Amino acid sequence: MRGLQFVSPYNNMQVTGVLGSSVNFTWVFIGGNVNSVQWGIKRDGFLNFQQLLVSVRKDKTSTITSDPLYSRRVSGAWDGSSPGQVTFTLNSIQTGDERLYICRLGPKSLFEVPVYDSVQLLVGGKKTAIAFLPLHLFPHLFLSLAQCCNLFSIVG
């Protein structure tokens, strides 16, 4: 038997969430006997947590961070089965949520090692500053924009 492993790990893959929406991170795992599954912000350069956000135990009890930046926006769901599937949700995505997250499978046996996987969240729909120029003062700029964007063909 091969011990704990993720069936389809993210392996640092990038996932895009839209500003203000929600994103689910789902892991399926097999092998071994999982006692807890934890999810949080990954520490730079280490296979560990910078900040633990959610911990779900086999008995279905969960612990959520008390950090006000996350406490009302994160959750975790696992039915306690092993092999099994766990889903962590981040709601009301903010630009500051763009970072690397990590999931840890905690084995019941002291003779098994924990298994980790990480995923990079990118936040789409970021607000960007738009400068409005008085185009009558910059006619050459208007012509450049019109040619670039085929504005004249839209009018006709």
Side-chain angles (χ1 to χ4, degrees):
M1 185 176 204
R2 288 188 63 180
L4 284 178
Q5 60 183 320
F6 290 103
V7 173
S8 54
Y10 287 96
N11 287 327
N12 293 321
M13 182 174 72
Q14 295 178 340
V15 173
T16 301
V18 177
L19 194 64
S21 69
S22 299
V23 64
N24 289 328
F25 299 102
T26 300
W27 282 273
V28 177
F29 53 89
I30 58 172
N33 191 357
V34 176
N35 189 47
S36 66
V37 186
Q38 298 169 320
W39 174 70
I41 299 168
K42 186 180 181 299
R43 183 180 304 278
D44 289 340
F46 295 94
L47 196 57
N48 206 342
F49 293 100
Q50 174 182 319
Q51 181 179 3
L52 181 62
L53 298 176
V54 181
S55 179
V56 185
R57 299 186 54 81
K58 189 174 187 82
D59 63 8
K60 301 180 191 127
T61 60
S62 62
T63 305
I64 295 177
T65 181
S66 59
D67 182 338
L69 290 175
Y70 289 98
S71 62
R72 296 179 188 242
R73 299 191 303 125
V74 295
S75 63
W78 174 42
D79 68 3
S81 63
S82 185
Q85 174 179 307
V86 63
T87 299
F88 295 101
T89 302
L90 175 61
N91 296 306
S92 302
I93 296 172
Q94 302 171 6
T95 54
D97 295 331
E98 186 168 281
R99 57 181 67 229
L100 201 57
Y101 293 88
I102 189 167
C103 179
R104 177 189 183 271
L105 298 178
K108 188 171 186 176
S109 169
L110 297 175
F111 299 106
E112 291 185 82
V113 295
V115 179
Y116 297 87
D117 187 41
S118 55
V119 58
Q120 172 76 44
L121 177 64
L122 301 178
V123 178
K126 293 181 185 175
K127 295 180 182 177
T128 55
I130 299 175
F132 292 97
L133 300 174
L135 291 179
H136 67 281
L137 298 177
F138 303 96
H140 60 282
L141 178 61
F142 177 74
L143 288 176
S144 297
L145 285 172
Q147 290 170 348
C148 166
C149 303
N150 293 322
L151 290 178
F152 294 115
S153 63
I154 295 171
V155 175

